Amino acid sequence: MTLTRRRLLALGAASAAGAALAGCDAPRPLPVPVAASPSSASAWSIPVSLPQPWATPPVTRFDAGLRAAVSRYLQPTPEHPEHPLYPGAACFAAVDGRGAAHFAVGDAVRYAADKSELPAAERVPARPDTIYDLASLTKVFTAVLALRLLERGRLDLDAPVSRYLPSFVDKPGITVRMLFTHTSGLSKATPLAGGPPEAQLEHVLREPPVAPPGTAYLYADQNYIALGAIVADLAQDRLDTLVRTQIAAPLGMAGTGYLPPNALLPRIAATEGPLRGTVHDPSAAAFGGVSGHAGLFSTVADLALFGRALLGGGGPLLRPATVELMRTNANARFGPAAAHGLGVDIDQARYMGRLAGRGAFGHTGFTGTSIVMDPHRKALLVLLTNRVHPDAAWGGNNPARKAAADVLAG
């Protein structure tokens, strides 16, 4: 098996039927809008026990304030008068390891394909267990998988990426650490070329940097596309399987995975246009729905389990020293706006609000998702929205993220 074919299989771009290797040369069709991905050969079939550690929490002093903060943006506001920031949202907050709020507001599906509002009877209300497309929150999961390989001595942060990916042979100055911290100089634009997923991936991995490696912070999906390829090659398994077996299963995250099966469609929030249950990110779609930078779907309660593990020193995922490394700013030389650890933002008030400032870490996703973990206050905030429904150009939801964070910080 060639390295490229192994990488393609590991990224999940082989056929949904599992496909013998002989069939990998045929392009896998891109996800079909509206219908969720088929369940055959899906990593969702890997059993995940649900320990139910997050029973619906009692009403607390945070609950009413968080509901008000999140609900405010279901309608246009003076700051954003043309459209709501999002049609629906789910929120989970915890303080000192105890649930403080777990609720949903608005609609998981509110608009038709032409962006007109559906009649009330045809809308799908958001629920606390609604499944959202996480977009770039996927990167944190990829980082955890990579750090597990670091702990086993399989991955060297300061090794050139070309040691693990021959596609980087002409980029010897880019190290693994630079992929983690977005300092590789790779472009923010992901250059898709068309054709089979295998060719698309290889084309992206061979893309030259647009800045000298290590000289600036430039957030780029290409970093985590490459890091995901490294993880999959070293583990010799698909990313969807690795997330399910190494993260979801140990934590009981039963509602988390790539390529959600059709049976889960009623619980999935719509994204842009007619998309529902298939990945919104075009690069991840081109790779078959599974990539290191995007493609995961999850719920607020599942992400609360994930966040609690990281806040608690790593739980079954990572060693405490590795979590400390993960949430230590590696980009101090580039200024506070570039503060980034190994897979997470550090103290970014633009969406962390008043939780930022004392070592808070987290990440956002383009579709309207976010997680913030504050070790100082022992606070956790997960806000998942479908702000790209029906149109990603309608606006971002940092105001809502900040408003919710400010309530929790209070």
Side-chain angles (χ1 to χ4, degrees):
M1 184 188 300
T2 67
L3 178 63
T4 304
R5 283 185 174 178
R6 272 196 11 246
R7 183 186 303 131
L8 178 63
L9 178 60
L11 282 170
S15 72
L21 180 60
C24 287
D25 288 334
R28 182 178 186 267
L30 294 183
V32 177
V34 182
S37 303
S39 59
S40 59
S42 170
W44 290 78
S45 63
I46 297 170
V48 173
S49 61
L50 188 61
Q52 302 277 354
W54 294 116
T56 301
V59 175
T60 68
R61 64 190 178 94
F62 297 109
D63 186 83
L66 284 168
R67 285 178 184 270
V70 174
S71 298
R72 178 186 179 211
Y73 296 97
L74 294 173
Q75 298 85 29
T77 64
E79 302 88 350
H80 191 273
E82 294 186 5
H83 306 288
L85 288 189
Y86 41 71
C91 181
F92 198 111
V95 180
D96 289 330
R98 298 182 179 182
H102 184 196
F103 62 86
V105 295
D107 297 312
V109 181
R110 180 173 176 177
Y111 298 94
D114 64 0
K115 304 181 188 178
S116 63
E117 288 196 343
L118 293 168
E122 297 180 21
R123 299 179 187 178
V124 179
R127 306 182 340 191
D129 67 345
T130 293
I131 296 170
Y132 289 84
D133 182 337
L134 297 187
S136 282
L137 269 188
T138 302
K139 294 180 173 72
V140 187
F141 287 75
T142 302
V144 167
L145 292 174
L147 290 171
R148 288 170 62 87
L149 290 168
L150 175 73
E151 289 182 342
R152 292 164 53 195
R154 300 285 308 282
L155 186 65
D156 182 347
L157 290 176
D158 295 312
V161 176
S162 57
R163 175 187 297 181
Y164 306 103
L165 295 179
S167 306
F168 272 62
V169 67
D170 57 347
K171 300 186 282 284
I174 297 179
T175 66
V176 174
R177 190 186 302 271
M178 292 174 187
L179 298 181
F180 271 105
T181 59
H182 295 284
T183 56
S184 66
L186 292 172
S187 172
K188 292 179 66 175
T190 304
L192 299 177
E198 181 178 33
Q200 299 251 41
L201 176 61
E202 189 65 21
H203 179 76
V204 170
L205 293 177
R206 290 192 175 277
E207 182 73 2
V210 295
T215 62
Y217 171 77
L218 183 63
Y219 182 89
D221 287 344
Q222 288 190 59
N223 290 305
Y224 280 77
I225 293 171
L227 190 62
I230 291 174
V231 168
D233 274 332
L234 289 179
Q236 297 190 22
D237 210 340
R238 298 163 51 106
L239 278 180
D240 55 346
T241 300
L242 293 170
V243 165
R244 194 74 171 170
T245 57
Q246 296 191 19
I247 298 178
L251 295 179
M253 299 171 66
T256 299
Y258 292 93
L259 302 172
N262 282 322
L264 292 176
L265 183 61
R267 287 178 53 194
I268 299 174
T271 55
E272 195 163 10
L275 287 176
R276 186 182 180 199
T278 55
V279 63
H280 176 267
D281 183 89
S283 302
F287 303 144
V290 181
S291 181
H293 76 292
L296 269 177
F297 288 72
S298 191
T299 67
V300 288
D302 273 13
L303 288 177
L305 295 170
F306 183 66
R308 187 175 71 166
L310 295 179
L311 273 176
L317 304 181
L318 297 170
R319 300 168 188 163
T322 307
V323 176
E324 286 297 312
L325 179 64
M326 181 185 193
R327 62 186 185 90
T328 297
N329 184 13
N331 291 346
R333 64 195 184 280
F334 301 126
H340 204 83
L342 301 183
V344 289
D345 299 316
I346 310 294
D347 285 330
Q348 295 301 308
R350 69 181 185 276
Y351 71 90
M352 298 179 182
R354 289 166 50 203
L355 289 176
R358 298 187 181 184
F361 61 107
H363 214 287
T364 63
F366 182 80
T367 48
T369 60
S370 59
I371 184 171
V372 181
M373 296 157 279
D374 179 1
H376 175 73
R377 295 180 178 85
K378 298 181 181 178
L380 168 68
L381 176 63
V382 181
L383 179 62
L384 302 182
T385 79
N386 53 341
R387 72 100 189 163
V388 296
H389 178 56
D391 189 334
W394 278 14
N397 61 330
N398 274 349
R401 291 166 174 156
K402 289 177 63 178
D406 286 348
V407 170
L408 203 58

